Amino acid sequence: MSVPVRTAVVRAPPGPRSLPQPVLSRKCRNWPARPAGVGELTLLTAGGPVGWPLGEADMGQIQQGLERALHTRPIPSSTEARLRFLLARNRGSTRKVATMLGVSQRTVQRWVSKRAEARRPPDPLQVRAIDEAVLARWQPRVRARRRAQAEAEGFIFHTRARLGFAAPAGSSDDPRVRWITQDLPGEVARELFAARDAGAGEQQQTAILARALGHAYFREWGRRAHGLHVTFRDVEFVDFSIG
């Protein structure tokens, strides 16, 4: 049986779409079945509770990374383009879109009016409703397929953050900013998606990934450094690769 290896720290910061795609083993031994206690890690992250579906402006970095990984085509970026998508899905019916968004048909007609003097842009709460409706309906079959694949086979996690053991200063594993690309098993994907579906916030999702990185990257799948606390904080970048 092949053993997952710890990947080297990447010093040059590649972009989200140019990260290396290492081929690593999906076989993960001694994976903890449940999260360890509070003493397992030191976690200092920002972010309040979020639910699903939610607007992109409300998403933390982990949620945004999961969404990118579940799609093969980018979600329309502007509110106007998202309204066109919703109208196209409903054969141009402003009545159906209005019912979906919980507003009047006349409101939707004002949003999409071709006459500048009659057009009224949606307010922030309405923009959020539009975002949620699009996110929930964008590539549903692709989303389901890629989620199932991640939960069955695992995924590759990319991050730039301050990671390390809460060890004496000067240790080779002392907390510092690192680029890490690490293969993680399907159990972690299932925990992340279950937490998201339950409305977990960014901090809870970060805790799942912190435990996973502590076990896979620093403890080398349970072969060393037992009992040491892992620090995962100051997260600058997060991305996921599925398949």
Side-chain angles (χ1 to χ4, degrees):
M1 178 182 295
S2 59
V3 179
V5 298
R6 188 172 83 174
T7 59
V9 176
V10 181
R11 299 188 182 279
R17 296 305 174 193
S18 61
L19 286 167
Q21 302 296 309
V23 179
L24 302 174
S25 171
R26 301 288 185 186
K27 304 295 184 181
C28 306
R29 299 186 299 180
N30 303 322
W31 182 255
R34 299 297 304 165
V38 175
E40 173 72 12
L41 55 92
T42 300
L43 179 61
L44 298 173
T45 58
V50 294
W52 173 255
L54 56 138
E56 288 172 309
D58 303 303
M59 289 185 184
Q61 293 189 73
I62 295 173
Q63 187 78 357
Q64 291 182 45
L66 283 174
E67 284 303 311
R68 287 193 299 270
L70 289 177
H71 301 133
T72 57
R73 289 187 292 117
I75 297 173
S77 58
S78 69
T79 300
E80 292 78 9
R82 294 181 180 197
L83 281 170
R84 289 196 296 270
F85 166 74
L86 294 177
L87 285 167
R89 276 187 60 96
N90 290 276
R91 300 183 178 181
S93 172
T94 54
R95 180 181 58 80
K96 291 181 179 179
V97 172
T99 300
M100 176 194 309
L101 299 176
V103 298
S104 69
Q105 183 176 6
R106 182 60 182 150
T107 296
V108 175
Q109 290 170 344
R110 290 193 185 100
W111 292 344
V112 300
S113 175
K114 295 181 179 180
R115 295 187 299 115
E117 66 276 11
R119 192 178 307 126
R120 297 290 185 274
D123 64 32
L125 287 177
Q126 293 166 341
V127 169
R128 178 188 173 106
I130 294 167
D131 292 349
E132 292 175 350
V134 172
L135 286 170
R137 290 164 178 79
W138 187 256
Q139 292 191 304
R141 293 181 182 178
V142 172
R143 287 171 56 87
R145 183 174 68 247
R146 291 178 71 83
R147 173 173 175 167
Q149 182 178 3
E151 291 181 343
E153 301 175 8
F155 60 92
I156 299 173
F157 180 58
H158 314 277
T159 189
R160 177 176 168 84
R162 188 173 298 278
L163 297 107
F165 290 125
S171 166
S172 61
D173 287 322
D174 196 47
R176 65 181 186 272
V177 175
R178 310 169 190 252
W179 273 99
I180 289 182
T181 296
Q182 177 64 51
D183 187 64
L184 293 174
E187 289 89 336
V188 180
R190 289 194 289 274
E191 284 188 48
L192 280 173
F193 285 119
R196 185 200 67 173
D197 293 346
E202 184 84 349
Q203 187 168 2
Q204 292 171 269
Q205 294 173 329
T206 305
I208 294 170
L209 290 168
R211 181 176 62 88
L213 287 174
H215 185 69
Y217 184 85
F218 290 105
R219 294 194 177 90
E220 295 183 354
W221 309 99
R223 292 195 297 272
R224 73 181 189 102
H226 301 288
L228 289 180
H229 296 177
V230 175
T231 295
F232 180 33
R233 58 188 176 90
D234 303 335
V235 178
E236 300 176 9
F237 170 79
V238 166
D239 208 10
F240 300 82
S241 298
I242 298 174

